[in-house]
Amino acid sequence: MVTTQTQLPTSISHDKSTHMNESIDHAQLSEWLKQVAELRCKVAFTHLFHFFAPKIQRISRSKFPNEAQSHEVVQETMSNVWRKAHLFDPDKGAATTWIYTVMRNVTFDLLRKIKSNREDNLSDDIWPVIEGEVSQDEAYEDHLENKQLLDVIETLPEAQKEVVKGFYLMEMSQEQLANHLNLPLGTIKSRLRLALAKLKGQLGENND
Amino acid sequence: MIKHHPKFELIQAYVNGDLPASLSMGISIHAEMCPACQQKIAQLTEQVAESSFEAQTIETESTSIGDTSSDTSFDFESMINNITLSAELDEVAKPVTKTITFKTKTYQLPKVLNRIKLGKTANVGKLSRTRLQLDEDEIHSSLLHINAGGGVPEHTHKGFELTVLLDGSFSDDKGEYVKGDFIMLDTSIKHNPISQDGCLCYTVANDALHFTQGINKLLNPIGNFIY
Ligand SMILES: [Zn+2]
């Protein structure tokens, strides 16, 4: 008897650089999505639309035989973004990940409708809304390789904690952070400096 | 402890949305019970998202504006206006729990299956089977219950056979399988699973089983029954 049971590789090569890519301004996308959720801001939505719609259209053109269907995917995906933005949690993953899952789900349901003539929209059952949670926590931990450091960061004053987390854990640049937090670059730099001094002091004490 | 997981290619196809609903559900059911695969799925989704929206960035900036405007039926502005007219917000439906009873035992179904229509239960000996109404042509998905001491006679598959153990355990000559195990077999395999204490499985197969041993050949009609 033969078995073709195959095991997963023990780890997927996990390239950190994919977390925050230079060519995608994640902080900005996240911010727009937040503005859509909190302020129902049409300007922010328009920015998101111009970033994502052409890409979604191109991706779905490869999955559907005709243009009308790929338009439907764009229309549906972006409508869902508008109506579900409040379900996006920036602490749990990137806006690109969230919008990708919305697009993937819309595509899946439309393909199923075409193939099986079923409009049961199963995608949200198959891929529950938030998947990013586990990975994000893990990524933080192995990035820092030090649970202790995380604990110490938690003891920082709120203003410094924000900057340290953005810089080290979300790998945002100081400029992105200034933009994201709506603060002058100088403030970001000095907060980071203060926080680092405090962290060094604390970790030094603990390690003695 | 879970020992059998979906292989990487399968997880990848799942993340891409390329698998049929039945197999996608099998992976979701497994992931519900397997934090390791949950994490792999999350990481892979993040990576695929990144490359989907980034790979085209340069291309988009240089060519797409002309591209999309040549597509006259695609009017960004009116689509934006239409979408933002709506004041509706989508809420996530509160998860309902659904149970199923075989013989005297009641099981809670995995979340993924809560909204799926189930067919009537059919029984043969210690086996009970309920089909999921997914309408995927030659692919059949079922809940298969084996009563304590029952088993499926030795058989081969003409297509593939996926079994995800929802509760209980069973064993074949390769060893024991426990709750959460994701077991994907293809055509070449002959096996004869027996469940000492009973079990409930989610199964997907794309063709009938074929029984191979002596008197069991008479059972070939129930191959269609099980999967
Ligand atoms: Zn697993």
Side-chain angles (χ1 to χ4, degrees), chain A residues 3 21 42 82 118 125-126, chain B residues 28 50 81 115 135 174:
Chain A
T3 307
N21 190 293
K42 192 177 164 182
W82 177 251
R118 292 286 297 254
D125 293 323
I126 295 173
Chain B
S28 297
E50 182 86 15
N81 288 333
R115 291 197 308 129
D135 289 348
K174 304 302 271 184

Side-chain angles (χ1 to χ4, degrees), chain B residues 5-6 30 34 37:
Chain B
H5 307 266
H30 171 79
C34 178
C37 285

Side-chain angles (χ1 to χ4, degrees), chain B residues 121-138:
Chain B
T121 303
N123 300 289
V124 169
K126 296 193 178 209
L127 301 173
S128 314
R129 180 267 282 157
T130 302
R131 274 223 207 292
L132 277 69
Q133 315 280 297
L134 286 176
D135 289 348
E136 293 189 302
D137 298 328
E138 81 289 357

